[in-house]
Amino acid sequence: MKTISLVVAALLCVPASAAELHVSAAASLTDVMREIAPSYEQRTGNVLLFNFGASSTLERQIEEGAPADVFISADEEKMDRLQHRGLILKASRRDILSNTLVIIVPRDRRAKLSPADLTSDSIRNVAVAEPQSVPAGIYAKTYLRKLRVWDRITFKLVPMDNVRSVLAAVESENADAGIVYKTDALSSNAVRIAFEVPVSEGPDIEYPAAVVADSKQRAAAQQFVDQLLSPAVQQIFLKHGFRAAGRR
């Protein structure tokens, strides 16, 4: 009887308006979102259904009508395009965090690498996220072009679907080096950071979040977006290596 009473009490604590939220989030948010989810779900009764991928892929899915209540992009451009088309709610949009680019190598490599070192014959290939559409690849291309390195290594670049694919390529030693976000590098014991792009010199990497216009759960979706800016959640982001939004 006591057990039944506890179950009933727990059920009574779940709001009657509990919702299923489809969250399309940049692949670089995979680990941190999976850490945030359990406490959020327990507190609100809502269920988070994640769809992780390259921001460009997620943008296209939303344009094509795929189920999504919240979109979290790894750059402003993808969100801007959806906003221009009226596919996200402009008033719901928030910049929730920032990130930093790093060059990674397999864990057993000891030498530090500067961006210029990527041109060396000792680096046979460099994995990058697809530089025409995926934010991490676009950021990498912008930064290395500024240093006049990009055009010198195009023949050894290996474009990947998203930043987590780049991480996997370096982890498996199928790539001598890769360019990912700092947060991706910190999530793996199989790689190490050979170079961290100084915040003042690198691209401005901001992650906006917004409610998708077609959402049937707008209130719950907005609540989730706003929760991402709460002090408790921001501390989790910082623990994973993210930076607060808008702080260069």
Side-chain angles (χ1 to χ4, degrees):
M1 184 65 70
K2 183 178 180 181
T3 300
I4 294 175
S5 298
L6 289 173
V7 171
V8 170
L11 290 173
L12 290 174
C13 291
V14 176
S17 58
E20 273 193 356
L21 293 179
H22 293 262
V23 180
S24 291
S28 51
L29 295 169
T30 301
D31 297 322
V32 69
M33 284 296 165
R34 285 177 174 162
E35 180 172 340
I36 289 168
S39 60
Y40 172 82
E41 292 178 334
Q42 184 177 21
R43 186 174 67 256
T44 65
N46 296 337
V47 176
L48 299 176
L49 303 174
F50 288 112
N51 175 27
F52 296 109
S55 298
S56 54
T57 300
L58 301 176
E59 176 201 2
R60 184 167 62 252
Q61 290 173 350
I62 291 170
E63 288 173 340
E64 294 173 353
D69 298 292
V70 174
F71 176 44
I72 310 174
S73 174
D75 75 349
E76 303 279 5
E77 182 185 14
K78 308 298 181 291
M79 191 70 78
D80 288 344
R81 290 205 292 250
L82 290 180
Q83 181 174 313
H84 180 70
R85 296 181 177 98
L87 296 176
I88 59 110
L89 301 180
K90 180 180 178 180
S92 73
R93 183 170 172 172
R94 310 281 188 270
D95 283 341
I96 59 169
L97 50 91
S98 299
N99 215 331
T100 307
L101 284 183
V102 296
I103 298 173
I104 58 171
V105 295
R107 171 59 66 180
D108 60 1
R109 285 189 176 239
R110 297 299 176 191
K112 291 286 185 181
L113 283 179
S114 71
D117 291 331
L118 296 177
T119 65
S120 167
D121 291 341
S122 63
I123 302 296
R124 296 164 298 172
N125 46 44
V126 180
V128 293
E130 212 292 314
Q132 302 306 317
S133 58
V134 180
I138 294 171
Y139 291 134
K141 182 177 182 179
T142 299
Y143 176 66
L144 293 179
R145 273 211 161 148
K146 184 173 73 171
L147 300 181
R148 299 184 179 179
V149 169
W150 183 262
D151 292 337
R152 298 167 62 193
I153 64 171
T154 52
F155 68 96
K156 61 174 75 177
L157 295 174
V158 182
M160 312 294 287
D161 289 342
N162 58 59
V163 71
R164 283 304 173 105
S165 297
V166 175
L167 179 66
V170 179
E171 287 176 326
S172 62
E173 301 190 25
N174 287 320
D176 292 334
I179 302 175
V180 299
Y181 299 121
K182 182 178 180 180
T183 51
D184 296 299
L186 294 177
S187 74
S188 174
N189 293 321
V191 305
R192 70 179 186 84
I193 295 174
F195 179 82
E196 181 172 343
V197 176
V199 173
S200 60
E201 298 175 12
D204 190 12
I205 303 173
E206 298 285 339
Y207 287 62
V211 176
V212 177
D214 283 345
S215 173
K216 302 298 189 293
Q217 305 285 351
R218 288 186 176 186
Q222 184 67 68
Q223 179 198 46
F224 177 67
V225 170
D226 292 338
Q227 279 292 306
L228 297 176
L229 286 167
S230 69
V233 174
Q234 286 287 305
Q235 280 300 119
I236 296 173
F237 284 138
L238 294 176
K239 183 185 74 173
H240 282 258
F242 291 96
R243 296 182 295 108
R247 296 183 183 178
R248 288 184 62 80

